[in-house]
Each structure stands twice: as C-alpha cells, then as structure tokens.
Amino acid sequence: DRQRRGGESAMTQVVVPVQLQAEALLKEIEREGRLTDELLLSLHALFPGVLSSAVELIDQSAVRMLRCRGEATRTLFVVHGQSRSQYYCLLSGYCSCYHFASAVVHKREAITCKHLLAVLLARALRQYEVDVIEDVDFASLVDEKHTFS
C-alpha cells in the first residue's frame, strides 16, 4: 500500500466517499422502509464481501438493541453470531468481532464487518428488538474487557 498525502493510505482516501454513499443509501432505505432491488445492488457495490451475510443476520433476527433504562440515548447493539457468539456494535462505527479489529482497523482491507453492516441496515429498516436494561447492567457490560478491546 503506497502512502499518499500526509501519510494517508489509499484505503483511507476511499473510506470517506464510501461512507457518504453508505449514509445516503441508509437514508433511502429508511424512506423506502425496505430493501429494493436497486438498493441491494448499490449496497452490494459498496459492501460486496459482507452484504449477504449482513442481510442473513437480519433475516435471522440476530440484531438487538440494548437501551439503558435511565438514559434513552445510551444504546449498544448486540448481534448474535454463529455458535452462540455475541458481537457488540456501536453506531459510531465499531464492532467487537475479530474481523473488524483485524481487517477494518489494523490492516484497513475492509470498510466494515457483517455485524456492523447488519446493525446499520436493521436500524434503517427498523428490524430489531429492543431490550431495556438497568444502568448498572449497561455499565458492567461496557466495562467488560472483552467487549471493547
């Protein structure tokens, strides 16, 4: 990967336009209330490696929002993966899965993982369950070392 302008990699330069395109598509999905063929094709162009898995997670009702009872703005999404694993996602752009840490953050080979994409799509489609939890439970969940390391 050649370094460009002030140490930015080629992948870093690509992420911003893709992020803007993804945000526009998510807004369109919210307006439509469903994934049209046209939207699916556009999403596939942006996320070819993870889109089908993300849609499959939504179809399996694997996405849940944890909302803090005392503070409605404090939320965390949980995606139930294969073999009973759980991955924690933040809308700000984070997933606790290995792929996100390795391919997205460290190697910068990918833009996102299937779990975070599933969260973003499920939110736009309003296809997730909400679990309201106590402040103390939310705090201990966030404090757990494995959640956000």
Side-chain angles (χ1 to χ4, degrees):
D1 215 26
R2 285 188 343 191
Q3 295 296 312
R4 302 175 190 217
R5 288 188 296 166
E8 288 183 3
S9 69
M11 184 63 159
T12 303
Q13 293 175 355
V14 168
V15 170
V16 174
V18 169
Q19 185 176 13
L20 294 174
Q21 290 174 356
E23 288 172 7
L25 287 171
L26 290 169
K27 286 179 184 175
E28 183 64 26
I29 292 167
E30 283 182 47
R31 278 192 295 274
E32 289 284 332
R34 63 189 181 95
L35 285 172
T36 63
D37 289 343
E38 183 180 319
L39 287 168
L40 279 170
L41 285 172
S42 297
L43 286 166
H44 187 268
L46 293 178
F47 308 106
V50 294
L51 178 63
S52 62
S53 297
V55 171
E56 193 173 298
L57 287 167
I58 295 168
D59 289 344
Q60 296 169 353
S61 300
V63 179
R64 302 188 73 76
M65 175 199 276
L66 300 181
R67 185 171 52 87
C68 204
R69 183 178 305 283
E71 182 65 45
T73 58
R74 250 191 285 180
T75 60
L76 176 69
F77 283 85
V78 179
V79 179
H80 297 278
Q82 298 171 345
S83 69
R84 300 181 188 226
S85 53
Q86 292 184 345
Y87 302 100
Y88 299 93
C89 298
L90 299 174
L91 291 175
S92 58
Y94 171 82
C95 180
S96 63
C97 76
Y98 176 80
H99 178 78
F100 189 87
S102 177
V104 176
V105 176
H106 295 297
K107 295 178 186 172
R108 298 180 187 221
E109 295 173 342
I111 295 166
T112 192
C113 66
K114 64 184 178 183
H115 311 107
L116 185 54
L117 184 58
V119 164
L120 296 171
L121 292 172
R123 185 168 176 257
L125 292 164
R126 295 177 185 87
Q127 287 187 2
Y128 59 90
E129 296 294 322
V130 178
D131 294 328
V132 179
I133 61 175
E134 297 299 325
D135 290 344
V136 66
D137 296 329
F138 190 89
S140 67
L141 182 64
V142 171
D143 278 346
E144 286 180 23
K145 208 173 207 175
H146 74 275
T147 304
F148 298 104
S149 55

